[in-house]
Amino acid sequence: MYISSLKQSCLNGGGCTSWVCKNITKEGIRMTKTLIKAPFKADHVGSLLRPQSIHDARKQFAEGAITAEQLRAVETEEIKRIVDKQIEVGLQAVTDGEFRRRFWHTDFMEHLNGVEGYVPDHGYKFEGVETEAYDVRVTGKVSFNPEHPHLKDFIEFNEIVGGRAVAKITIPSPNQLFNAGIRNEDIYPDVEDFAQDIIQAYRDALQAFYDAGCRYLQLDDVYIAGLCASSLPFAKSDLEREKLIDLALRVVNGVLEGKPEDLIVTTHLCRGNYQSAWAFEGPYDRIAPSFFAKEKVDGFFLEYDDERSGDFKPLEHVPAGGPQVILGVFTSKTGELEDKEAIKARVEEASKYVPLEQICISPQCGFASTHHGNKLTEEQQWAKLKFIVDVAKEIWG
């Protein structure tokens, strides 16, 4: 980012803080350090535990006891609180905790043109639990809705942040629309036609969020991570799996083609996160030669909190000087703090495959990918985020 544009952003209270400014004067900007750019050495995936006040307000709204405006007011107050808290623990990028959503993905997808939400017979099968039943399906030609409610949500959130940190938004990856049961083959008999409409819808979405002031956007992609799994119910052979991997890569890169240069976009690969349960396992080996090497994002948020993700060797496919690798070596599924020296050792191990300056650290996922939340307390959540910030300072200074 150029100094002149940064100065204007800071003076206007904008959300972009890619440079760390000691102060701003009429003569210019004095810097404390060199260029600092998202993703950050201590970062996080996005979702946070919903407080009881939001759960209560949602219940009251569903029962007709309060209005939508009253519900939104409760959410807004809680977003203000958790923005302050994220800044307090030392995070340079903050989110709204996904406090206005029920699910990390369907809330966004069902507001695209040509997509609707519905209640299926069953939820997703996770380890030891079945999720609340809710999904989306295609009912018409897919395109971005310029009145998408998440645009308003981001604008209000960015105003709350007020330039004190980078306001980060998380949305489901375009590849989530390739999950089984979503595409309507009567409307899209050719998957390539479906892919082209998805690409255009997401190009329009990225531009709309950029125009709304967003400079840090994360694509959450369970679909791509799922292609790592040892078995796929919708892929009958390794060749079919490779075709799915190729299509998914082309879709994301198609979306990113021509994006604004100063819009930072990362991908978060997730193996499922529901009430501290997970959906599948498998190392990154199958996708690393394509996605790690060729996906045109600025960073990869990768799950590495347990043995289900395999070892760090697939990171050798990440180009030197290319995307940042945000190691999810802290778990969001439990509240216990990790052993600090063990974390440092894991980062050192990863640095055998990707340079240390290209590594960041974070939880492996959010703390509440759905409104239910993981099995830990809010106090444990904040303690873990502060711990990540403190460990990052010890590693990188």
Side-chain angles (χ1 to χ4, degrees):
M1 172 173 288
Y2 293 104
I3 291 179
S4 59
S5 62
L6 170 70
K7 181 179 178 182
Q8 191 61 44
S9 173
C10 292
L11 289 171
N12 290 339
C16 181
T17 57
S18 295
W19 292 81
V20 176
C21 303
K22 187 172 183 180
N23 56 28
I24 301 175
T25 69
K26 292 182 179 178
E27 290 74 30
I29 301 175
R30 282 184 273 165
M31 306 298 166
T32 58
K33 291 187 178 180
T34 55
L35 179 67
I36 294 181
K37 183 179 179 181
F40 298 99
K41 291 305 178 187
D43 216 313
H44 67 125
V45 171
S47 65
L48 298 169
L49 295 171
R50 311 315 194 255
Q52 190 60 44
S53 60
I54 287 183
H55 290 305
D56 291 343
R58 293 243 174 101
K59 184 174 183 292
Q60 291 167 350
F61 174 69
E63 294 170 347
I66 64 173
T67 65
E69 291 75 16
Q70 289 171 313
L71 169 60
R72 190 172 185 87
V74 172
E75 294 168 344
T76 298
E77 286 306 306
E78 292 294 354
I79 290 170
K80 289 177 180 178
R81 180 180 65 85
I82 58 108
V83 165
D84 290 345
K85 191 66 180 178
Q86 288 170 83
I87 294 171
E88 178 187 321
V89 301
L91 292 167
Q92 293 172 276
V94 301
T95 73
D96 66 357
E98 300 179 5
F99 276 13
R100 301 200 197 276
R101 306 185 205 180
R102 292 178 63 252
F103 290 78
W104 63 276
H105 57 323
T106 54
D107 291 63
F108 179 87
M109 296 160 70
E110 68 185 352
H111 287 104
L112 297 172
N113 293 328
V115 180
E116 70 171 8
Y118 74 105
V119 179
D121 293 334
H122 300 284
Y124 291 104
K125 293 291 194 302
F126 273 56
E127 183 68 13
V129 66
E130 180 177 309
T131 70
E132 179 182 339
Y134 199 78
D135 207 344
V136 297
R137 58 191 173 195
V138 169
T139 59
K141 290 292 185 179
V142 175
S143 64
F144 183 68
N145 173 13
E147 301 299 319
H148 198 293
H150 286 199
L151 287 172
K152 176 185 177 183
D153 293 347
F154 176 79
I155 290 169
E156 292 185 7
F157 162 59
N158 199 25
E159 289 173 351
I160 290 169
V161 178
R164 296 174 292 158
V166 176
K168 171 181 172 180
I169 188 171
T170 62
I171 64 173
S173 165
N175 287 317
Q176 290 304 123
L177 286 159
F178 291 113
N179 275 311
I182 295 179
R183 171 179 153 221
N184 186 323
E185 295 189 14
D186 290 333
I187 298 169
Y188 287 108
D190 187 340
V191 71
E192 292 291 340
D193 291 339
F194 186 43
Q196 286 306 308
D197 281 357
I198 292 172
I199 289 171
Q200 189 58 56
Y202 267 77
R203 281 181 180 171
D204 293 342
L206 263 60
Q207 187 63 52
F209 281 112
Y210 181 84
D211 292 342
C214 177
R215 296 296 181 270
Y216 186 11
L217 184 144
Q218 176 181 295
L219 300 173
D220 291 319
D221 209 324
V222 175
Y223 180 82
I224 291 176
L227 295 176
C228 301
S230 55
S231 63
L232 293 178
F234 51 90
K236 299 175 182 177
S237 65
D238 286 341
L239 178 61
E240 188 172 353
R241 185 200 297 264
E242 289 304 314
K243 289 180 179 179
L244 295 175
I245 291 172
D246 173 72
L247 177 62
L249 178 63
R250 285 191 286 115
V251 166
V252 175
N253 282 345
V255 169
L256 297 176
E257 187 177 337
K259 77 168 180 65
E261 187 176 350
D262 59 338
L263 174 62
I264 301 299
V265 178
T266 59
T267 287
H268 166 232
L269 302 184
C270 173
R271 291 173 174 78
N273 188 48
Y274 182 83
Q275 294 184 303
S276 295
W278 50 271
F280 51 87
E281 54 191 329
Y284 294 106
D285 304 60
R286 288 185 174 91
I287 65 166
S290 52
F291 276 96
F292 288 180
K294 300 175 185 177
E295 190 176 21
K296 297 175 183 178
V297 290
D298 298 290
F300 295 103
F301 280 81
L302 303 177
E303 286 200 352
Y304 270 116
D305 62 324
D306 62 23
E307 67 282 352
R308 289 182 302 112
S309 302
D311 60 28
F312 293 126
K313 193 173 189 304
L315 299 182
E316 66 186 5
H317 293 280
V318 178
Q324 293 284 300
V325 175
I326 307 93
L327 299 175
V329 288
F330 302 82
T331 187
S332 68
K333 296 183 186 298
T334 65
E336 291 76 18
L337 295 182
E338 288 75 7
D339 179 87
K340 181 169 62 176
E341 296 308 315
I343 292 293
K344 290 181 178 179
R346 296 202 71 196
V347 172
E348 183 178 359
E349 181 185 354
S351 71
K352 297 175 183 177
Y353 303 101
V354 63
L356 182 62
E357 62 269 20
Q358 213 169 316
I359 296 175
C360 308
I361 53 177
S362 77
Q364 101 291 346
C365 196
F367 292 91
S369 298
T370 70
H371 64 94
H372 312 84
N374 283 344
K375 296 179 180 179
L376 71 164
T377 67
E378 188 173 332
E379 291 74 17
Q380 289 175 317
Q381 167 188 268
W382 296 123
K384 183 153 293 196
L385 288 173
K386 185 179 186 305
F387 183 55
I388 293 169
V389 171
D390 292 342
V391 173
K393 288 177 180 177
E394 289 193 22
I395 296 174
W396 288 281

